[in-house]
Amino acid sequence: MAQPDKHEVEHRGTAHAPTKTVYGLLADLTVWPRIFPPIVHVEYLGRTAERERARIWLHGGQDVRQWVALRTLAPESLSVFYRQEVAQHPVADMGGGWIVEPDGPERSLVRLLHDYRPVSEDSVPWIDEVLDKNSNAELAALLAAAGLEPRASELLLELRDSVHVAGSAQAVYDFLYDGSRWHEHFDHLAHSEVRPAGEEAHLLELESPDKDGNPHTTRQVRVGIPGRKIVYKQLVIPPLSSGHTGEWSIEERPDGVEVTARQTIVIREEGIAEVLGPEVSLADGRAWIERALGGNARLILERAKAHVESA
């Protein structure tokens, strides 16, 4: 029986950024969770200067799925090519690439290529529809991120806080991962709930009163790497930002563990005026966000420390 034909699809978009800026975002998988909304986490499984193997976790609907990408980097041609190590039904084989080309001063043409072989030709219309939807969304996210790069020092906020815990890595991991019991440890939380979303993945929903006493709910998708780290992505984004990702990492030490909270926030400049008032500057808005989110992270770190050490 003959195999179904290979199909090729191309999507294009124009970025208001130099080619090297755009290529840099495509080549560095560590920034993809803040660029592409579905991506929660990326971990390199092996890499050289030109070849990479990486696991990518994606959130869609109520589930988190993962796949392994085999990537080839070609900086001289500003291209990144990939193949799925194992394709997902109804696709038998999937690959493609990103190609960045100059399109005038400070502008870049971005070509997103896909080639695939379906399990059967009957599934081709559905695959093409999904590819079209996802490719347009990915291009839009990449172009927006590339346009942000000239002001990254103003609009990207990266926070880091650490605490030493005299206890085991597993005990710290368990406290941070089991968000369903956080309302027992944090007085400001009225409710906390976890909904499973896949292997070592869940949706965490937290409810607390706002400044007027009304219920305020936050929701995040989280992926755990047992004993090492928990990464998360906020799904309910407040007006002050257009994206918020974070990580709790746990490193063993001779006398305990070092627990570090990292957060990356993409500031929405117009949101500062909406929330804090038109007279508040971008710098003051950054400081306000840093105090609020940094304070939350430090509170969780200290509570984790107290809980583990008291046990």
Side-chain angles (χ1 to χ4, degrees), residues 1-289:
M1 185 174 178
Q3 281 190 332
D5 293 335
K6 184 172 77 170
H7 295 256
E8 297 181 348
V9 184
E10 178 173 338
H11 293 80
R12 296 183 172 206
T14 300
H16 294 273
T19 54
K20 288 187 177 180
T21 297
V22 179
Y23 174 79
L25 295 176
L26 293 170
D28 183 3
L29 284 174
T30 66
V31 302
W32 279 30
R34 76 162 168 86
I35 293 176
F36 300 108
I39 296 182
V40 182
H41 184 51
V42 177
E43 285 220 343
Y44 287 105
L45 304 176
R47 60 193 302 200
T48 66
E50 296 180 351
R51 296 186 182 276
E52 301 172 339
R53 182 171 178 261
R55 187 178 305 278
I56 301 174
W57 283 262
L58 303 99
H59 172 249
Q62 299 297 311
D63 298 313
V64 174
R65 58 187 175 88
Q66 51 182 286
W67 64 282
V68 175
L70 307 174
R71 303 212 316 162
T72 301
L73 307 181
E76 68 285 349
S77 62
L78 301 173
S79 305
V80 179
F81 297 97
Y82 82 92
R83 297 217 74 78
Q84 292 184 355
E85 188 170 74
V86 178
Q88 300 182 7
H89 189 84
V91 177
D93 179 59
M94 171 77 78
W98 297 86
I99 300 174
V100 186
E101 301 172 351
D103 187 32
E106 302 297 306
R107 283 163 52 103
S108 303
L109 173 66
V110 184
R111 299 167 57 204
L112 174 54
L113 313 178
H114 288 92
D115 66 81
Y116 71 89
R117 194 180 304 278
V119 173
S120 74
E121 289 295 331
D122 294 340
S123 57
V124 169
W126 182 86
I127 296 171
D128 283 345
E129 181 180 351
V130 171
L131 276 179
D132 190 57
K133 177 183 177 182
N134 291 346
S135 296
N136 286 328
E138 289 171 10
L139 274 170
L142 174 68
L143 303 184
L148 180 74
E149 282 299 292
R151 300 187 63 200
S153 61
E154 298 176 276
L155 299 178
L156 280 183
L157 179 59
E158 297 187 342
L159 307 179
R160 184 182 186 278
D161 291 283
S162 296
V163 67
H164 179 269
V165 179
S168 71
Q170 190 61 50
V172 173
Y173 178 88
D174 290 343
F175 177 86
L176 293 173
Y177 190 72
D178 189 9
S180 64
R181 301 186 61 184
W182 278 11
H183 65 279
E184 300 174 8
H185 301 283
F186 300 97
D187 295 337
H188 69 285
L189 290 179
H191 177 71
S192 57
E193 181 180 354
V194 164
R195 300 174 188 170
E199 184 180 354
E200 289 295 325
H202 61 232
L203 302 176
L204 173 62
E205 189 171 285
L206 305 173
E207 182 183 302
S208 59
D210 63 16
K211 59 183 179 63
D212 299 318
N214 300 313
H216 173 68
T217 299
T218 62
R219 189 176 298 110
Q220 59 183 234
V221 56
R222 308 207 305 167
V223 171
I225 313 297
R228 290 202 297 119
K229 69 172 68 170
I230 298 160
V231 296
Y232 64 88
K233 188 167 204 170
Q234 295 289 357
L235 300 179
V236 179
I237 307 296
L240 284 167
S241 67
S242 59
H244 180 182
T245 60
E247 172 186 301
W248 308 94
S249 63
I250 305 162
E251 296 184 32
E252 292 187 320
R253 298 282 191 267
D255 55 348
V257 293
E258 189 80 5
V259 189
T260 302
R262 295 180 178 85
Q263 302 181 75
T264 300
I265 302 98
V266 182
I267 296 174
R268 181 172 168 264
E269 191 169 11
E270 57 270 34
I272 293 175
E274 293 173 12
V275 177
L276 303 178
E279 72 285 353
V280 177
S281 67
L282 175 57
D284 288 340
R286 280 178 61 92
W288 190 93
I289 296 170

